[in-house]
Amino acid sequence: MPQNLLAITIGNTRTKLGAFVDDKLVESWAVVNTELREALAEPLTKAKALLRDADDAVAVLASVNPTLTDVVLKQVAAITGLRVLRIERDVPIAIGRHLDREAIVGEDRLLNAAAAYDRLKQACIVVDAGTAMTIDLIDGQGTFHGGAIAPGAQTMLDAVHGRTAQLPEVSFAKPLEPVGHNTVEAMRSAVYYGMRGMVRELTEQYAEVTGGFPMVVATGGDAPVLFEGFDLIERLVPDLTLLGIAVSLRRWHEAGEEGE
């Protein structure tokens, strides 16, 4: 049965929303969290219009930012009137897990893994380049093994500015060339090529673990700048987390129908 859905994922820096009509992502929006209270109404109103003819539409919310969760929940209820389901509390994420018993993994990482494996049906690596950068391994049976967590590009630049006396505040951008001929370009070069090198090294290490070379998928706000044209990245999927919500809702519905 085709599903109609407003998917919402609250991150550390941005909140993303996506309207799925008959299983297809028809439009998505991103709102900076510092502007969330004022800016969320517009995408919610647009999503409501897109889903107005779907009697079965629901909202499904994932969050790695608990302080903003109630803010978003209240606006979703007030503006859309949709029933809201929570990822993991109501809808389990559709990915197997091989982790330490005490491990706590962000919902965004698991949702990215669910979407990537649903599309590829093979071992893969998901790189999410945002406030933090995660590099995660999913095996050929669809099991999430965890991976590596590093500071994101802007987080690195902010840290080196904050911990030194003379290095300036710098916004992240692709460096003009590998050799920085001024301080700003040198800082950008270190972050840009350092992050790409980290992904390459970890991919090679993961390949030894799996006995093959997994396909590498990238997502996150900095992914286009970091990985456009990078030979290691086979797919850039901006809305991977939203797609993971849709996959998980579909699997949850299927499991419910089988149990009836």
Side-chain angles (χ1 to χ4, degrees):
M1 177 180 177
Q3 61 186 12
N4 300 287
L5 161 70
L6 170 59
I8 306 166
T9 176
I10 307 173
N12 292 301
T13 303
R14 295 178 181 82
T15 293
K16 296 197 70 174
L17 306 91
F20 290 80
V21 178
D22 293 336
D23 287 335
K24 293 182 179 180
L25 179 61
V26 294
E27 192 166 354
S28 64
W29 307 268
V31 178
V32 178
N33 285 347
T34 54
E35 303 170 359
L36 189 66
R37 287 171 173 81
E38 300 78 19
L40 194 58
E42 183 177 350
L44 287 175
T45 301
K46 290 180 178 178
K48 179 182 179 180
L50 289 168
L51 294 166
R52 66 182 179 273
D53 297 326
D55 295 334
D56 61 340
V58 296
V60 181
L61 182 142
S63 177
V64 297
N65 194 332
T67 60
L68 293 177
T69 300
D70 285 343
V71 174
V72 175
L73 286 171
K74 289 176 182 176
Q75 288 208 43
V76 171
I79 294 172
T80 71
L82 294 172
R83 179 169 67 112
V84 182
L85 302 173
R86 294 286 303 277
I87 283 292
E88 291 290 78
R89 187 191 71 183
D90 303 310
V91 179
I93 299 174
I95 193 73
R97 301 158 208 194
H98 182 73
L99 299 165
D100 292 342
R101 183 174 299 177
E102 69 278 8
I104 299 174
V105 180
E107 294 174 0
D108 51 351
R109 295 171 67 191
L110 295 169
L111 288 165
N112 288 339
Y117 186 77
D118 182 73
R119 286 190 163 200
L120 302 175
K121 297 294 192 296
Q122 65 181 67
C124 56
I125 294 168
V126 176
V127 181
D128 189 347
T131 307
M133 184 168 76
T134 56
I135 307 165
D136 289 323
L137 173 66
I138 301 92
D139 69 22
Q141 287 70 51
T143 301
F144 177 89
H145 286 260
I149 304 173
Q154 189 61 53
T155 305
M156 287 188 187
L157 290 167
D158 291 344
V160 75
H161 163 66
R163 297 292 295 271
T164 60
Q166 293 186 317
L167 292 179
E169 187 173 1
V170 175
S171 60
F172 177 61
K174 183 178 179 179
L176 299 175
E177 56 182 307
V179 180
H181 296 288
N182 57 66
T183 300
V184 170
E185 284 299 300
M187 291 168 67
R188 286 175 173 160
S189 180
V191 170
Y192 178 83
Y193 290 104
M195 295 183 82
R196 286 161 65 108
M198 185 193 315
V199 172
R200 187 179 295 279
E201 173 66 21
L202 282 168
T203 296
E204 292 176 358
Q205 295 294 328
Y206 294 175
E208 290 189 16
V209 172
T210 61
F213 209 92
M215 182 177 289
V216 185
V217 178
T219 191
D222 288 333
V225 176
L226 281 167
F227 303 125
E228 190 71 50
F230 189 31
D231 64 319
L232 193 70
I233 304 296
E234 299 188 52
R235 297 191 188 182
L236 283 171
V237 187
D239 294 317
L240 194 64
T241 315
L242 297 175
L243 294 169
I245 292 176
V247 167
S248 297
L249 182 65
R250 185 177 72 242
R251 296 283 180 83
W252 183 63
H253 281 154
E254 291 171 353
E257 291 169 1
E258 289 172 4
E260 293 176 354

